[in-house]
Amino acid sequence: MATFGLQLDHVSKSYQGVLAVDDVSLSIPHGQFVCFLGPSGCGKTTLMRMIAGLEQPTSGTIALNGRDITAEPPNVRKFGMVFQSLALFPHLSVGDNVAFSLRLQGRHAPERRERVAELLKLVRLPGLEKRAISELSGGQRQRVAIARALAQEPQVFLLDEPFSALDAKLREEMQAEFRQLQAELKITTILVTHDQREAMTLADSIVVMGEGRIQQEGAPADIYRAPANRFVANFVGLSNLLSVEVLDRQTVRMGASVLQVASSLAPGGEAMLSIRPENVQLADPALPRGESNVIEARITSVRDMGSNMEVQLECEGRSLMTVVQPREWIGVGAGQTAHVWLPKDHCRVLAA
Amino acid sequence: MSEAVALAAEPYAKRRSFGQALILAAPAIFLAAFCITPIILLIQMSFAHHDDGGLWSPGFELTQYKALADPVFLRVVSFSLLLAASTAVVTICIAFPAAYFISRMRRRAQVAWLVFVLGALSLSEVLIVFAFQVLLSSSGVVVKTLVDLHLMATPHSLYPNLGAVVICLVYLVLPYVILFLYPAVSQLDEEMPQAASTMGASPLRTFFLVTTPLMRGPLVSSAALVVIFTVSSYLTPLVLGRPETWTVGVHLSNTAMDAGDMPLAAAQAVVLVTAIIGLLALVRRLGGGGRTAPV
């Protein structure tokens, strides 16, 4: 059955016996914006390079619109790619860099000029054709690299940590611009990043990678709300991970307390309870609410971050962190005891 | 590249201390004593008066420079330049891919290759030239193999001729050029050719459209190195060539030693040195001007 989009089927890559990418199967529908998110060395760049054709998978197949392209070299696939180093050609002007693929296609000079002008306008660098690459700022180079990769109208657009070299403010501007550009062009786009904020704000869907495997894939909000395992809970945003014992499908035991949870694993085993810091609520020390999952905790430290307060707690011998808005602050200090509420719907139980 | 280096060095130049000046004095004195002084003496001698019997007397006359217009000398000069240029082309065609592939090997293989290249460099020119003479002679291994393969009917010597001269000169300069290109090639950003391939460039087009232009500076400089080395070569054309394949070097030596005309030889040498300086200036313009590779 011919499917529209990019399919990876049991793709693995090993270097001298070391698995860099371990049995990855993935289907990316046409026009989607996907982020490969993971720490360095998780295999995300290797996976992208295999999609571009720059590396050959040790096993597995890669297909585009139902056609097997595993054996095709990169110059036949012609997926536009923006490298981490950008790899702009220093011996060519901005215009010639952007026109590189058009020249290879044998397009005529007037047509090339028109297309280059159009692309430079698209990335908001109109009229810079004659400039040398060395005369551009970091953000401008970034845009030239994007324009150059788009010139050939690629079926798949690949970006390897494209914004990591920019300073924080420029990075956010470029991300917002790029999101808009991608939505306009509707090209299947894969962006590799280790920055979870970048992945959360840009992508339609995130593929979290760790140790060469896909740890979880899904919409950014789903991955944040419902991490599938410890790795994802730890890597995507901050998580409190508390060791618990599973009692049944709805309850777990943490030390002396029994907690209600939304869903759990098979009873009897050791497990991890995961809850986001912003979902842990501090209750008034004198008046514990009549809710389940309210337990006593000792405050070990309070950090006032201005926009919010970061509170470290200790309860049942486990450390726990919460983030509180200043207006909800109950005014307790380090060393005091308080009650914390772990709302049932936010408590997720993961395998230990 | 040189501009970037100059810019980076600027703040240091301002705080140049007495100690640094002292350190720089040693090479400056050495250069003045053993390079600049002989050149001045050479220039002086080129204007001197030629007496019979290999003697000359001080003076100022343009006789020698007028004699340089001699068609034989001009033919020798143009032949030398042509020989040097073709040697440069052949050498780079071999050395550039060689340096590229060595730089892409694993560390240990790279070291082995570089030691091998350095080893070739340690042989004396005299040894190499006479080894080529033996190798290319009618009883040499090359001729024997050709006869055994029926590629040559009857054994005959493969020298003296132009081919033998070029082959030997290429062998002599090849290690220099490989070692010269190696650092530049190893610093070549691997992502540049990869970017070209994702834009649809075949490996061959990538090599000519991206890799070679990125290496323009080092390639032009190494070509100049070969030309300078070859244009004044002496032993190789003398041993492996015929009189019509003799270079300026051989001609110059004949003028000085056989004809005993030192002032004329000096004038010829001055022309040679000037030509080389002019070539270096040209190389600076070609390799350094405009946009160059960040290597």
Side-chain angles (χ1 to χ4, degrees):
Chain A
M1 186 192 72
T3 338
F4 219 40
L6 190 69
Q7 285 83 39
L8 275 67
D9 194 25
H10 298 288
V11 171
S12 294
K13 174 78 184 176
S14 60
Y15 294 101
Q16 282 136 35
V18 181
L19 266 177
V21 171
D22 184 5
D23 194 28
V24 166
S25 294
L26 191 62
S27 179
I28 301 171
H30 177 77
Q32 270 248 319
F33 191 161
V34 179
C35 272
F36 291 175
L37 175 64
S40 58
C42 73
K44 57 190 193 298
T45 296
T46 309
L47 189 59
M48 165 169 283
R49 290 173 60 84
M50 286 194 283
I51 294 172
L54 297 169
E55 306 273 354
Q56 268 295 309
T58 313
S59 62
T61 57
I62 299 170
L64 181 69
N65 301 336
R67 192 170 54 88
D68 188 348
I69 57 162
T70 317
E72 274 184 9
N75 54 313
V76 176
R77 291 187 205 187
K78 287 199 262 188
F79 292 172
M81 183 154 171
V82 175
F83 289 78
Q84 192 170 4
S85 69
L86 303 183
L88 293 171
F89 303 138
H91 61 288
L92 298 178
S93 67
V94 168
D96 288 342
N97 262 283
V98 176
F100 190 83
S101 63
L102 304 172
R103 189 174 287 252
L104 288 169
Q105 288 167 15
R107 306 277 191 92
H108 295 298
E111 193 192 341
R112 283 205 306 262
R113 266 200 297 279
E114 198 180 308
R115 181 94 179 103
V116 168
E118 204 177 284
L119 283 158
L120 287 179
K121 210 167 132 192
L122 188 73
V123 295
R124 302 203 202 160
L125 291 175
L128 292 193
E129 283 93 336
K130 296 274 181 289
R131 290 276 185 91
I133 297 299
S134 56
E135 292 171 319
L136 301 183
S137 70
Q140 287 175 324
R141 287 179 197 204
Q142 189 66 62
R143 289 162 207 235
V144 173
I146 290 171
R148 186 178 71 169
L150 288 174
Q152 56 190 327
E153 295 174 46
Q155 302 222 51
V156 179
F157 188 25
L158 307 167
L159 300 101
D160 186 7
E161 306 256 6
F163 309 118
S164 60
L166 305 176
D167 62 65
K169 196 169 173 293
L170 187 58
R171 181 161 61 227
E172 290 201 3
E173 274 175 38
M174 288 294 303
Q175 285 168 353
E177 269 179 37
F178 184 72
R179 182 76 188 98
Q180 208 179 345
L181 186 67
Q182 198 276 337
E184 278 168 33
L185 299 170
K186 297 184 186 70
I187 299 177
T188 309
T189 304
I190 302 172
L191 187 143
V192 158
T193 183
H194 66 274
D195 178 354
Q196 50 114 356
R197 254 178 82 94
E198 186 167 292
M200 298 282 295
T201 52
L202 287 177
D204 296 323
S205 126
I206 292 179
V207 175
V208 183
M209 291 194 62
E211 289 159 351
R213 281 186 295 275
I214 294 181
Q215 302 287 339
Q216 189 176 5
E217 57 172 304
D222 291 344
I223 287 183
Y224 189 78
R225 275 188 218 115
N229 56 35
R230 279 184 76 168
F231 181 89
V232 178
N234 250 335
F235 190 75
V236 182
L238 290 166
S239 254
N240 288 300
L241 289 171
L242 311 163
S243 62
V244 293
E245 186 196 335
V246 180
L247 297 176
D248 60 46
R249 288 278 168 196
Q250 262 82 46
T251 52
V252 295
R253 186 204 302 281
M254 180 170 84
S257 314
V258 173
L259 300 172
Q260 304 280 315
V261 292
S263 66
S264 186
L265 304 166
E270 281 287 309
M272 282 286 169
L273 186 145
S274 151
I275 184 165
R276 299 284 181 193
E278 65 271 24
N279 293 329
V280 175
Q281 297 199 17
L282 270 183
D284 190 292
L287 293 167
R289 299 191 205 179
E291 288 276 355
S292 60
N293 290 8
V294 176
I295 51 177
E296 200 166 86
R298 199 172 61 82
I299 293 166
T300 50
S301 76
V302 179
R303 278 212 297 168
D304 191 342
M305 315 288 281
S307 63
N308 56 43
M309 326 273 287
E310 229 181 73
V311 186
Q312 293 287 343
L313 303 154
E314 197 190 294
C315 64
E316 302 289 358
R318 290 146 178 90
S319 57
L320 183 68
M321 191 183 81
T322 173
V323 179
V324 184
Q325 297 293 312
R327 64 187 144 78
E328 292 167 0
W329 181 235
I330 55 170
V332 287
Q336 286 182 268
T337 51
H339 283 92
V340 290
W341 178 34
L342 310 174
K344 178 186 165 189
D345 290 344
H346 294 298
C347 291
R348 297 188 50 82
V349 177
L350 308 171
Chain B
M1 176 184 73
S2 52
E3 277 84 351
V5 172
L7 276 177
E10 211 162 39
Y12 295 97
K14 283 176 186 157
R15 331 182 219 124
R16 192 178 288 161
S17 65
F18 176 71
Q20 277 174 309
L22 206 68
I23 290 166
L24 287 174
I29 291 167
F30 190 86
L31 269 177
F34 298 106
C35 180
I36 296 171
T37 315
I39 287 178
I40 291 169
L41 291 174
L42 192 74
I43 293 169
Q44 201 185 13
M45 194 196 280
S46 72
F47 291 108
H49 181 73
H50 169 55
D51 298 323
D52 284 335
L55 301 172
W56 72 95
S57 48
F60 186 87
E61 56 185 60
L62 294 171
T63 330
Q64 282 75 241
Y65 287 95
K66 282 176 189 151
L68 288 183
D70 170 27
V72 174
F73 179 69
L74 292 179
R75 199 194 58 77
V76 170
V77 169
S78 50
F79 170 77
S80 300
L81 287 172
L82 204 68
L83 174 70
S86 26
T87 306
V89 170
V90 175
T91 308
I92 283 169
C93 286
I94 300 170
F96 184 28
Y100 184 84
F101 286 117
I102 291 172
S103 74
R104 261 64 191 164
M105 286 174 182
R106 274 193 271 158
R107 198 76 216 157
R108 290 179 72 175
Q110 283 192 30
V111 171
W113 268 97
L114 292 176
V115 167
F116 175 62
V117 171
L118 274 169
L121 206 57
S122 70
L123 299 174
S124 124
E125 186 185 348
V126 179
L127 192 73
I128 291 168
V129 172
F130 287 109
F132 265 92
Q133 202 179 22
V134 173
L135 204 66
L136 299 175
S137 69
S138 54
S139 56
V141 66
V142 176
V143 171
K144 277 204 173 120
T145 312
L146 287 176
V147 171
D148 287 348
L149 291 172
H150 300 288
L151 291 170
M152 192 189 269
T154 50
H156 62 264
S157 172
L158 290 169
Y159 82 97
N161 59 39
L162 184 61
V165 175
V166 173
I167 290 172
C168 186
L169 285 174
V170 168
Y171 181 88
L172 283 168
V173 290
L174 196 62
Y176 290 102
V177 177
I178 291 177
L179 293 174
F180 187 90
L181 288 175
Y182 172 76
V185 171
S186 1
Q187 280 171 33
L188 191 75
D189 184 356
E190 199 57 359
E191 289 193 341
M192 296 271 180
Q194 287 176 356
S197 73
T198 63
M199 285 185 274
S202 64
L204 201 66
R205 294 187 89 174
T206 302
F207 184 80
F208 286 110
L209 291 176
V210 177
T211 314
T212 310
L214 284 174
M215 295 297 299
R216 191 182 67 171
L219 285 177
V220 170
S221 312
S222 56
L225 184 83
V226 177
V227 168
I228 290 164
F229 191 96
T230 320
V231 85
S232 56
S233 61
Y234 173 73
L235 195 64
T236 309
L238 191 69
V239 175
L240 297 172
R242 297 168 189 279
E244 60 267 27
T245 61
W246 283 352
T247 54
V248 189
V250 181
H251 191 77
L252 205 150
S253 149
N254 288 347
T255 311
M257 301 305 175
D258 300 347
D261 191 344
M262 291 302 273
L264 183 60
Q268 289 171 348
V270 168
V271 169
L272 193 61
V273 170
T274 314
I276 287 171
I277 291 169
L279 186 75
L280 284 175
L282 190 73
V283 164
R284 245 193 86 77
R285 281 190 72 96
L286 282 178
R291 303 183 187 104
T292 46
V295 282

